[in-house]
Amino acid sequence: MRKAAVVDRLSEVFSALADPTRRAILARLAEGEATVNQIAEPFPISLQAISKHLKVLERAGLITRGRDAQWRPCRLDAAPLREVAVWVTEYRRFWEERYDELGEYLKRIQKEN
Amino acid sequence: MAENLTVTTPSDLEIKMVRVFDAPRALVFAAHSSCEHVKHWWGRGNPLDCEMDFRPGGGYRFVEHAPDGEWAFRGEYREIEEPERIVQTFEFEGMPGQICVETLELTEESGKTTVTSVTRFDTKEQRDGMIASGMSEGAGQSYDALASYLAKLN
C-alpha cells in the first residue's frame, strides 16, 4: 500500500528531525550549500559528531553530498520536507476535526433526547 | 468551526491535549465506549469501520475511509473507570510498533465536560516525531528553523 510506504519514509525523516543539532544543520543549509568544515564551525562538537549527523540526514534524504571528493559539499534536499509539511498539516487536522465532530455529535444527541 | 484544543508537553515523554465539551460527563464517556457512538465522530465525518471490546484487556480497531486513503488505528484497553478514566494503547498501523499509551480523564463542571488526554511515548524521539507530525505546533520544541525554511519554499 503506497500510503504505508510514504509514512515509513516519513518516520525516518521525523527521527532525523527530532535532534536540535540536525535541525540547526538544515537551517544552515537552507541558506546555501556548505562543506562539512563550514557546517561544523558554529557547533561546540567534534567534526566526527557532525559527520554522524550528516549521515543520518543523508539517509533520510534530507541532504545530498556533492561528488567533489575533497570537499563533498552538502546541499539541502527539500522534497522530503515538503512531504513532511503536508503530513504535518494533515495529522494535526486529525485531532481537531475529530474533536469538533464529537462536539457536534454531542450537541445533536442531547437535542434528540 | 474549530473549538479550542490546547496542546502542551508536561514531560519529555508526554503530550497533553485538553478540550471542553458542552455535554454532561456520562454522555461524553459513553461517546467513547461503543462503536455505535464512535462511528459518528472518530472518522472526522468519514465512514469508519469499528471493532471494539470495551473492557480492560479488550481491544479496538478503527479504520477511517478518508478521501485520501485508509487510516487504521488499533489498541488495547488497560483501565476503564466509568465515567472518568480510560487508559488505552494507541497505534497507527502506518507506523507499526510505535505504540503509545493514552490516558483520558473526564471532569465535569457546570454541565460542561473537560477531556484531558495524556499520550505517553516510549522514547523522547518518538514523542518529538509525533509532535513534528502535527499533534501540536512547536509545543515545547522548536521547529522554527524548519518552519521558516518551509515558508521560504512555498
Side-chain angles (χ1 to χ4, degrees), chain B residues 123-142:
Chain B
T123 65
K124 191 169 182 300
E125 285 71 25
Q126 236 184 56
R127 186 206 70 170
D128 291 349
M130 190 65 95
I131 289 176
S133 71
M135 273 184 86
S136 108
E137 219 166 5
Q141 271 279 339
S142 167

Side-chain angles (χ1 to χ4, degrees), chain A residues 3 7 14 17 23 27 30 76 78 81 87-88 90-92 94 97-105 109-110, chain B residues 1-3 19 21-24 27 37 40-42 44 71 94-95 132-134 141-143 145-146 149:
Chain A
K3 191 94 200 173
V7 170
F14 283 134
L17 291 173
R23 291 201 297 274
L76 187 70
L81 287 178
W87 171 255
V88 162
E90 247 180 48
Y91 204 93
R92 188 178 47 248
F94 258 73
E97 288 177 4
R98 204 165 274 151
Y99 277 149
D100 285 348
E101 203 71 37
L102 176 57
E104 291 298 311
Y105 175 62
I109 54 176
Q110 286 182 97
Chain B
M1 198 212 65
E3 281 171 44
R19 166 82 196 235
F21 296 97
D22 198 357
L27 189 63
H37 284 302
H40 286 278
W41 63 274
W42 217 88
R44 306 173 301 139
W71 304 84
M95 293 185 180
S133 71
Q141 271 279 339
S142 167
Y143 281 85
L146 182 60
Y149 174 65

